[in-house]
Amino acid sequence: VQLQASGGGLVQPGDSLRLSCAASGHTFTDYALGWFRQTPGKEREFIATIGRTGATTIANSVKGRFSVSRDNAKNALYLQMNALKPEDTAVYLCAAGRFSLIDYRLYDYWGQGTQVTVSS
């Protein structure tokens, strides 16, 4: 499956942003989907995952501010980010795999990432 993340940009602290991830190439509903983020010199960080049935898991670091959803009719994955903080600055990547897991090493397919910068 091919994944294409979009929606990143430069925002101010407290702003909201919605990331999208478009999927193509395979049956979208066969996959669990995840969002991760990466900053230079740090390990890829789990943000959120949503399973094939819609069950979600959100990382404690963003719980209450971020939410994940999927639209199977549009083959799309979303990450709604509210109350953004400077420490949320990162490249955000979407991923697809067999299971809804928090370990990035267990995902099979990755999008190219979209940059989110939170700065005043």
Side-chain angles (χ1 to χ4, degrees), residues 27-108:
T27 304
F28 186 69
T29 52
D30 285 348
Y31 295 94
L33 304 165
W35 285 103
F36 295 80
R37 65 188 181 190
Q38 184 104 54
T39 54
K42 292 187 177 181
E43 190 172 24
R44 192 163 293 184
E45 179 188 4
F46 166 75
I47 298 302
T49 184
I50 183 165
R52 287 171 286 181
T53 59
T56 62
T57 301
I58 307 294
N60 288 335
S61 59
V62 301
K63 192 171 290 184
R65 300 189 297 122
F66 290 14
S67 62
V68 61
S69 62
R70 64 190 293 168
D71 186 334
N72 291 334
K74 296 182 178 180
N75 284 4
L77 168 70
Y78 303 104
L79 183 68
Q80 178 66 44
M81 305 186 294
N82 299 326
L84 282 161
K85 304 175 181 180
E87 51 263 43
D88 294 320
T89 295
V91 173
Y92 284 72
L93 305 108
C94 54
R98 293 184 59 197
F99 304 106
S100 188
L101 300 169
I102 66 173
D103 187 341
Y104 69 90
R105 292 166 293 186
L106 299 177
Y107 283 79
D108 301 311

